Every structure is written in structure tokens, then in C-alpha cells.
Amino acid sequence: MKIKEFIGSTVLDKNAYEVGKIDNVDFDPASGQIEKIFLTLQKNIFSRDELEIDFEDIATIGAYVILNKEIPKDVEEEPVETTTVEIEDE
């Protein structure tokens, strides 16, 4: 598999829950071995989180990248601050 095919792959945790998609890869230039993968977790259209996973935590690479550990889901999302602005008609 080429790196450009690997980027964008869907990542599942050991319970087969979708964690995110691979956004970037960190590798050792001397050996060419992947050391870490970086996942993008889409929270909503304007907000994204990134998660760093060690290569040792990957169980399988295929149609999906499957981790050998569980990634806890946030049950409660952070409240979003909103501001109301009133516009006066002239």
C-alpha cells in the first residue's frame, strides 16, 4: 500500500467503532518504518480534533485500519458559546 492510499483511510478501534480518518503519518527516514499516525476526528462542520496513535497500537491495515485498543467516545460535548447581535434598522 502506498502512503497516498493510506492517508484518508477510516480507522476503527478494537470494538469496531469508527474513530476517524488518517490525516498524516510520521515515519523514520532511516528505516522507512511508520512510527505514528495522526487521525482527524470530525466533531462538526467547523471543529476538528486530532488524535496521535503509535504504530504499535495498530492491529490490522486493510480496507480499514483497525486498532488493538479502545478509543473512548466523548459522551458529553463541550457547550458552544453563542453571542446574539441585534441589528438596528436605520
Side-chain angles (χ1 to χ4, degrees):
M1 174 181 276
K2 296 180 181 181
I3 290 291
K4 66 181 180 180
E5 296 169 350
F6 190 56
I7 303 291
S9 295
T10 300
V11 179
L12 307 176
D13 73 359
K14 73 176 189 175
N15 297 320
Y17 292 118
E18 186 173 333
V19 177
K21 296 199 182 282
I22 296 177
D23 184 50
N24 207 347
V25 179
D26 186 23
F27 67 96
D28 179 3
S31 68
Q33 185 173 15
I34 295 173
E35 295 179 343
K36 296 179 187 285
I37 62 173
F38 299 90
L39 311 179
T40 298
L41 311 173
Q42 189 78 32
K43 290 176 80 173
N44 62 44
I45 195 164
F46 298 111
S47 171
R48 296 175 11 175
D49 283 339
E50 190 173 86
L51 180 64
E52 181 178 313
I53 302 287
D54 290 325
F55 190 74
E56 294 82 33
D57 292 328
I58 297 175
T60 307
I61 298 173
Y64 296 98
V65 175
I66 301 174
L67 304 177
N68 59 16
K69 67 183 208 173
E70 183 177 344
I71 305 297
K73 294 249 181 211
D74 291 332
V75 178
E76 226 178 273
E77 290 189 18
E78 294 180 24
V80 177
E81 276 189 43
T82 58
T83 304
T84 304
V85 177
E86 292 185 25
I87 301 174
E88 295 178 16
D89 290 331
E90 291 185 38

